[in-house]
Amino acid sequence: MITEEDLAQQFTLIIEQAHPRAWTTLRHCYVKVLNSRSKGAYIAHAKYIRIYCPDRLIAAVVAEKDLLIEVAEYLGLVEVVCLNATNLLHDPKLQLKKAYPQLWLDLMWIVTQKQES
């Protein structure tokens, strides 16, 4: 059985190998595959991809969204969601550090890294 982590790795590998221009931006983001459990989901337990981007890269990732959706659909994922990791970390209502410490650490890592050329 393919796990969410396996799907995220496959997604990033396809982008890295087949779309190097998009990879130059995406490699500075945190990619996670999640199960959709919302009542309004049109496919029960469908998987979707969430891409957490530093503030400085969110526009560049959103500009590649059609390509990202194409790769996600190839892997059987139903949606691509891009989130601003910088804003999430600074939102006091979310309390990410307390509720999801590993996610908080991962997001802190991508937000504080310098982008190489």
Side-chain angles (χ1 to χ4, degrees):
M1 182 172 185
I2 297 177
T3 66
E4 286 84 7
E5 188 175 317
D6 293 335
L7 284 170
Q9 288 175 351
Q10 288 177 14
F11 179 84
T12 56
L13 185 62
I14 290 169
I15 297 295
E16 180 181 8
Q17 292 180 352
H19 307 285
R21 185 176 61 98
W23 176 246
T24 61
T25 303
L26 193 65
R27 69 188 181 116
H28 299 286
C29 301
Y30 179 70
V31 176
K32 188 158 181 70
V33 172
L34 301 164
N35 277 317
S36 174
R37 292 190 179 92
S38 66
K39 292 179 182 177
Y42 56 90
I43 302 173
H45 303 290
K47 294 181 185 340
Y48 70 99
I49 197 150
R50 191 178 280 182
I51 303 172
Y52 298 91
C53 310
D55 189 50
R56 67 186 184 280
L57 298 176
I58 190 78
V61 172
V62 170
E64 297 288 348
K65 194 156 181 188
D66 288 341
L67 170 69
L68 301 174
I69 289 169
E70 184 180 317
V71 173
E73 287 175 348
Y74 173 77
L75 293 171
L77 304 169
V78 297
E79 189 175 359
V80 174
V81 177
C82 299
L83 298 170
N84 187 319
T86 307
N87 289 350
L88 290 173
L89 287 172
H90 293 101
D91 186 342
K93 293 178 185 174
L94 290 180
Q95 297 186 2
L96 279 178
K97 186 175 183 180
K98 187 183 219 181
Y100 304 99
Q102 185 60 51
L103 176 61
W104 181 82
L105 285 171
D106 292 336
L107 296 184
M108 282 297 291
W109 175 256
I110 65 161
V111 166
T112 58
Q113 295 305 297
K114 298 281 186 210
Q115 182 178 354
E116 312 100 30
S117 306

